[in-house]
Amino acid sequence: MSEGMALLTIFVMAVFVGFEVVSKVSTILHTPLMSGANAIHGVILVGAILVAGHADNAIELWLGLFAIVLATVNMVGGFVVTDRMLEMFKGKKPGARASAGSDK
Amino acid sequence: MSANAVSLAYLVAAVAFILALKGLSSPPSARNGNMIGAIGALIAVIVVLISGNLSHVWMIYVAMLIGVVPGVWAARRVKMTAIPQLVALFNGVGGGAAAVVALAEFLKSGHTDPVGSLVATVFSILIGSVSFAGSAVTFAKLQELMTTRPVVLPGGKYVSALVAVATLAAAIAVLPTGNTALVVALLALSLVLGVLFVLPVGGADVPIVISLLNAFTGLTVAASGYLLNNTLLIVAGTLVGASGTILTRLMAQAMGRSVVSILFGAFTAKASTAGGPSEARPVRSAGPEDIAILLAYAHKVIIVPGYGLAVAQAQHTVRELADLLASRGVTVEYAIHPVAGRMPGHMNVLLAEANVPYEQLKEMDEVNGEFASTDVAVVIGANDVVNPAARTDPSAPIYGMPILNVDQATNIVFMKRSMRPGFAGIENELLYDPKTTLLFGDAKDSLTKVVGAIKNM
């Protein structure tokens, strides 16, 4: 299997996992879920670090560093704000949780 | 670290992201899910920092620090009502980062790249820029830096189509040539396209667009991962792209709309509302004291909070009212429409912030049977979610959206700023119903006055 095919395989599998994993979500979690998924794509920070760390000239370096700043805001801010949202739901009674979890 | 160790660490991070999304899909595990996602991201960043054989390490640390400070500050300090625009902002910078990564990678090796990599480059720059510029416009709309109404430029349909075609042409032209000037042109055109894409979307539909752009950014990250040969970015980006697409559809369903009609509806909509509000029909309005009497002597009150409540930041005042009524022996419940507030589920977060007991929050299916036995339904800053036109008028844009059966209550109180129709832009017959009483004014002011009047009784 060529490298390209391997990456394509991973891509297609990930599509199906992505579809499956959120197919049933109660409406009250739509906002936190969106925000959490938003934080996850902040992992582009890894790509930005690689680009900056392997830059051959000043333009690449500055573009990489700029991407690092943006990606860090996305990742760190995303996880923190999602946690703040979900903090509101903590400490509820189990009965209330069950009703909150019912699909609309 | 050996290459295998790095791959293994990336695998752990990828599994963490899957578990995070899974956890976020159900209330009891949501917070842990988010934490697992954050740990996965942390692992990935640490691994790349120690294994990447990097130069310019100190500059990288400084850049990360520059990102962490405003990110955490904004996330901690933002008001709960402003969360949607912050999510839009975070999404936009993520899309921008992915596009910049693709651009830098292209400058490094693009001219010699095989076509496959150029496709990924073009995709990443195009969609990343659309996501960045689009998110900036959604931010401006939600922050009310600009009008929340759909903006259709003169000939907007043609301008948008023209820019879309030009963008596509630039994208295709890059593939055989690998020309740097064309790539820069593509970047600029994509930014314009992103703005034009979001302008015609109305305020109430903006959350759907944020969700869609979120999915876009995910796919951009996946494409950048392909460029960098990094499996973790491919998996994480694709997961977000796929789950974001599903989530967008779920949200649109909750509003009884299709994603296509939300994105392009403004181009085809007839100006059906223009004549409506000007026609003067009698409504019954009352002062806070009258409302106070109505509420204080009721047996059962259902509060229907909406957008206006969120805007006025009246969630604490509404809880005060509910507590006051409860202390007088009135049964008080909240009816939460799935799309109440600025985002689906937003109202639950706002009321939870105001410490409203969870068992008083009723979802639509649960509460709809109860309106018939309710003395007073208090609609605060909501409109479209209680508009019977969704049931009766097939020409209404919200036709088919499930609504709260407020019209079955014995008395209806509307707290509204004005007679302006809701975001869907349609008249609400319920306002003219004989059992309806209106209290005009800012939701918070009105509630404070009603609370004061009840206390004086």
Side-chain angles (χ1 to χ4, degrees), chain B residues 285-310:
Chain B
S285 70
E289 295 78 14
D290 306 304
I291 308 288
I293 290 169
L294 194 60
L295 291 173
Y297 293 101
H299 291 290
K300 182 166 170 187
V301 171
I302 295 185
I303 296 172
V304 181
Y307 193 86
L309 179 101

Side-chain angles (χ1 to χ4, degrees), chain B residues 133-158:
Chain B
S135 297
V137 175
T138 55
F139 175 82
K141 282 193 184 222
L142 288 169
Q143 192 69 29
E144 295 184 5
L145 299 174
M146 59 179 284
T147 172
T148 56
R149 309 232 127 216
V151 177
V152 181
L153 304 169
K157 215 188 315 188
Y158 305 104

Side-chain angles (χ1 to χ4, degrees), chain A residues 31 34 41 53-54 83-84 89, chain B residues 52 55 76 78 108 344 358:
Chain A
T31 299
M34 187 205 298
H41 67 51
H54 296 159
D83 189 61
R84 242 190 90 194
F89 292 110
Chain B
S55 16
R76 286 203 168 278
V78 66
K108 190 183 179 73
Y358 227 56

Side-chain angles (χ1 to χ4, degrees), chain A residues 3 11 15 19 21 28-29 31 34 38 41 43 52-54 56 63 74 76-77 79 83-85 88-89 93, chain B residues 27 31 34 52 55-56 72 75-76 78 80 90-91 94 100 108 214 229 233 238 251 343-344 348 358-359:
Chain A
E3 191 170 36
F11 172 75
V15 168
F19 280 161
V21 97
I28 67 159
L29 282 175
T31 299
M34 187 205 298
N38 179 34
H41 67 51
V43 78
H54 296 159
D56 295 330
L63 283 176
N74 180 188
V76 178
F79 282 120
D83 189 61
R84 242 190 90 194
M85 268 186 243
M88 306 292 171
F89 292 110
K93 291 177 185 145
Chain B
R31 203 166 177 209
N34 185 54
S55 16
H56 320 295
V72 171
R76 286 203 168 278
V78 66
M80 274 294 150
F90 287 159
N91 177 55
V100 171
K108 190 183 179 73
N214 190 32
N229 239 325
L233 293 191
T238 312
M251 285 186 182
M343 272 183 160
N348 303 70
Y358 227 56
E359 46 272 36

Side-chain angles (χ1 to χ4, degrees), chain B residues 380-421:
Chain B
I380 307 169
N383 195 347
D384 295 332
V385 298
V386 299
N387 193 336
R391 287 200 297 251
T392 55
D393 179 5
S395 69
I398 59 165
Y399 182 68
M401 178 171 85
I403 57 162
L404 292 164
N405 300 332
V406 166
D407 51 340
Q408 293 171 0
T410 315
N411 290 286
I412 307 166
V413 174
F414 269 92
M415 296 192 188
K416 277 176 75 60
R417 273 198 287 199
S418 67
M419 283 300 284
R420 243 178 34 174

